[in-house]
Structures are given as structure tokens and as C-alpha cells.
Amino acid sequence: METVMNTKKNNLEARVSQEDVVKVYNKMAGIYDIWALLTETRARDRAIELAGIEDGQAILEVAVGTGLGFYEMVKRNPNGTNYGIDLTPKMLAKAKRRMERSPFSNYLLQPGNAFNLDFDDNSIDLLMNNYMFDLIPYPEMDSIIQEFRRVLKPNGKLLLVNMTRAETPGSRIYEMIYKVSPKTMGGCRGIQLQSRLEDNGFNVQTREYYQQMLFPSEVLMAIK
Ligand SMILES: C[S@@+](CC[C@H](N)C(=O)[O-])C[C@H]1O[C@@H](n2cnc3c(N)ncnc32)[C@H](O)[C@@H]1O
């Protein structure tokens, strides 16, 4: 009990509003890929590996960003349907440019909000969501998780990657930067989502910790 309370007490709150998230990521869109390649590649690649994509699936990436992961998923699902949504116009525009240069056409990238997905109940085989919950206030996380559950098919797979709490002393540097200037961190702070997914009815199969340039990430795979 004490551990749970301490964990909650130590949680960092979201300090960039969703309105400001759009402003921050419109500014960061031009350089985001450099940051992502330096600090997030290992965790993102592992999530795609764990997804075990079978060609022909209905795949949705929420908060598709500049399309780094989306491209890799579409490549593995050339006969399926691939949807990507994001809140920030300039991130989405970069994802569109990336995909226009690709040989693929079986995808749809459009504006969208994780809180209110424009997809039918039980319609998605695989939902991918990377580095978005670390921007979301704790009291609002459950409604997004429920929205993910709603659109996933029974036994559908959820892959989440988040900036997580530091598990080594060096990796605390990012939390320290966040405390001083949350926008420098793109609004991202370390979170842990396993128990929240379970509380919302997901069956968590695996939670892995990765560190790249000391940046701490968790990769979660869960089944509806
Ligand atoms: C740190 S970036 C991650 C981008 C991408 N998922 C990746 O891993 O490269 C966070 C992204 O989440 C998006 N985002 C934040 N809140 C969102 C929401 N409520 N609905 C959809 N996208 C959101 C932002 O616009 C931004 O593109």
C-alpha cells in the first residue's frame, strides 16, 4: 500500500494542455525525427516486432506523429487497411509526405483525437499508440483507454510505448528537464500504464523497459 501511495505521490502531472500540445508539436515537427531516432527507435521497433502484424489486418495508429512507425506497419500490411490519426497538423503533414514517397497506397492519414475515435466498435485488429499518454493528464487517461477498447475487436491487440519513469539514476535527467521546462521535453513525462490498462479490462501480456541515450521508455502489449 505504501509503495502504491509513494508511486502516486511521485507521479509527475501533465503540464502542457492539449491546446498547447498542438502548438508545441507544430513547432517541433521539423526536428522531431532527429529526437526520435536518437532516443525512441529501439522501443518503437520493439513494439512493431511485438505487434506480429499479419498481412490483411485493420491497423490504427493513434498519434501517428511524423509517421515513423506507421511506415513500418504499412510495409508489413500491404494487403490490409492502415489508418493513422493525429491532433497536430504539421506532424500529420510530415507523415503524409513520408507515405506519399512510399510505394504504398492502402492507408488513410487524417486529423483525429484519441478521446473520440471516428471508428466503429470492434473494428480494429491492432491499435498502436506511441509517446502520447505521457502528455495526457492522469484523470483523463481512462477515457482514452476505454476508447481504444471500444474500437478494438475481441482479442484485438494494443501496443503502447510511453516515456516511463527512470529505472536508472542517469535516466532521471529527462524528468529533471521536464520539471524545469516541460515544453523542452515536448510535454512528455515518465508514466507507467500497466496497472491502468488492467484496471480498464485489458490483459497485459508484456511490459518491457528500454533506455536509449538514457531516455526511458516502456513497451506494453495488451489484449482486449
Ligand atoms: C511525442 S509525439 C509522438 C509521435 C509518434 N507517435 C511517434 O512515436 O513518433 C506525440 C504526438 O501525440 C499527438 N497527440 C497528443 N495528444 C493527442 C490526442 N489527444 N489525439 C491524437 N494525437 C495526439 C501529438 O500531436 C504528437 O504528434
Side-chain angles (χ1 to χ4, degrees), residues 51-94:
I53 294 168
E54 290 168 29
D55 190 13
Q57 288 187 313
I59 296 181
L60 168 62
E61 182 168 4
V62 177
V64 70
T66 64
L68 285 168
F70 191 71
Y71 178 92
E72 293 300 324
M73 290 196 292
V74 176
K75 198 163 86 180
R76 288 161 176 73
N77 193 32
N79 295 298
T81 44
N82 302 281
Y83 303 102
I85 65 158
D86 200 285
L87 209 52
T88 303
K90 288 196 176 166
M91 295 291 272
L92 198 57
K94 269 203 98 171

Side-chain angles (χ1 to χ4, degrees), residues 138-156:
Y138 283 103
E140 294 171 26
M141 287 178 177
D142 290 345
S143 67
I144 296 180
I145 296 171
Q146 282 303 324
E147 192 62 351
F148 286 2
R149 252 184 87 74
R150 179 184 70 74
V151 301
L152 273 170
K153 292 179 184 173
N155 291 316

Side-chain angles (χ1 to χ4, degrees), residues 44-211:
R44 190 183 288 101
D45 288 354
R46 178 61 177 148
I48 291 167
E49 189 182 359
L50 282 169
I53 294 168
E54 290 168 29
D55 190 13
Q57 288 187 313
I59 296 181
L60 168 62
E61 182 168 4
V62 177
V64 70
T66 64
L68 285 168
F70 191 71
Y71 178 92
E72 293 300 324
M73 290 196 292
V74 176
K75 198 163 86 180
R76 288 161 176 73
N77 193 32
N79 295 298
T81 44
N82 302 281
Y83 303 102
I85 65 158
D86 200 285
L87 209 52
T88 303
K90 288 196 176 166
M91 295 291 272
L92 198 57
K94 269 203 98 171
K96 283 185 179 163
R97 284 201 294 278
R98 186 188 306 281
M99 293 310 296
E100 279 159 13
R101 291 193 301 265
S102 81
F104 313 113
S105 56
N106 59 323
Y107 67 88
L108 187 63
L109 287 165
Q110 57 190 17
N113 194 326
F115 285 95
N116 184 14
L117 298 176
D118 193 11
F119 293 88
D120 290 340
D121 297 1
N122 306 312
S123 60
I124 300 294
D125 294 299
L126 167 67
L127 195 155
M128 177 77 70
N129 177 244
N130 297 337
Y131 300 106
M132 183 200 78
F133 273 101
D134 34 42
L135 297 164
I136 303 293
Y138 283 103
E140 294 171 26
M141 287 178 177
D142 290 345
S143 67
I144 296 180
I145 296 171
Q146 282 303 324
E147 192 62 351
F148 286 2
R149 252 184 87 74
R150 179 184 70 74
V151 301
L152 273 170
K153 292 179 184 173
N155 291 316
K157 220 183 238 188
L158 175 65
L159 265 301
L160 287 185
V161 183
N162 305 305
M163 178 182 170
T164 195
R165 301 304 305 266
E167 293 185 15
T168 65
S171 55
R172 295 212 177 91
I173 180 77
Y174 294 101
E175 288 175 8
M176 285 153 70
I177 297 170
Y178 178 86
K179 282 178 189 164
V180 177
S181 170
K183 286 186 183 169
T184 305
M185 287 298 301
C188 295
R189 84 287 194 205
I191 58 166
Q192 292 169 328
L193 277 198
Q194 175 164 355
S195 57
R196 197 173 279 271
L197 290 180
E198 287 164 348
D199 291 348
N200 279 282
F202 275 99
N203 180 2
V204 176
Q205 308 274 296
T206 171
R207 190 256 182 193
E208 298 176 5
Y209 177 83
Y210 288 89
Q211 227 177 259

